[in-house]
Amino acid sequence: MLSRLLKEHQAKQNERKELQEKRRREAIAAATCLTEALVDHLNVGVAQAYVNQRKLDHEVKTLQVQASQFSKQTAQWISMVEGFNQALKEIGDVENWARSIEMDMRTIATALEYVHKGQLQSAAS
């Protein structure tokens, strides 16, 4: 009778151990699934952040190239405008020179006319 009780007690203990082991395995599996779900959820956010960062890096590089090209083009425009201004100044200088020459020639022509008239009057007298 005592041995039968001992055997029953040991059998119940074994059943409890098996049940406890089964529950432990289920708890581990559930914890693993939860951990994987959490990590997957975080990885989605991290992956999206990585994709966004790559897009931003690409846009920054494109913007740098465009800014460099714009700077070069602006420098060319400034150079062209300065050349144009210089050409306008030179044209103004030539125009002033031409006016000065014209005034000198008129003065000379007037002087020659007076001399010629004076010679004509002295020859006529």
Side-chain angles (χ1 to χ4, degrees):
M1 179 159 148
L2 212 55
S3 76
R4 189 176 54 102
L5 283 176
L6 180 64
K7 284 183 184 180
E8 285 177 8
H9 175 70
Q10 287 175 347
K12 284 183 183 181
Q13 253 186 341
N14 284 339
E15 286 176 21
R16 284 187 195 138
K17 283 182 183 179
E18 287 175 12
L19 183 60
Q20 188 176 13
E21 183 63 27
K22 180 182 173 188
R23 288 181 181 165
R24 186 182 69 79
R25 284 192 300 263
E26 289 173 355
I28 289 172
T32 302
C33 286
L34 176 65
T35 303
E36 287 175 358
L38 288 174
V39 168
D40 287 345
H41 179 71
L42 288 175
N43 282 343
V44 167
V46 169
Q48 186 62 43
Y50 178 74
V51 167
N52 290 343
Q53 182 64 40
R54 289 193 60 196
K55 286 180 183 177
L56 285 172
D57 289 343
H58 177 72
E59 290 296 323
V60 165
K61 287 178 184 176
T62 302
L63 184 60
Q64 285 174 338
V65 167
Q66 289 176 348
S68 175
Q69 289 174 347
F70 180 70
S71 176
K72 288 177 184 176
Q73 189 175 30
T74 302
Q76 289 175 344
W77 289 345
I78 288 171
S79 176
M80 286 173 51
V81 167
E82 288 174 353
F84 181 70
N85 283 339
Q86 185 63 33
L88 285 178
K89 287 178 185 178
E90 289 173 4
I91 288 173
D93 291 344
V94 168
E95 186 177 350
N96 286 334
W97 174 78
R99 282 186 190 149
S100 175
I101 294 293
E102 183 180 3
M103 291 296 289
D104 290 346
M105 294 303 284
R106 284 186 187 184
T107 303
I108 292 170
T110 304
L112 288 174
E113 280 180 34
Y114 285 134
V115 168
H116 182 66
K117 283 181 185 178
Q119 287 177 351
L120 286 178
Q121 285 176 358
S122 65
S125 346

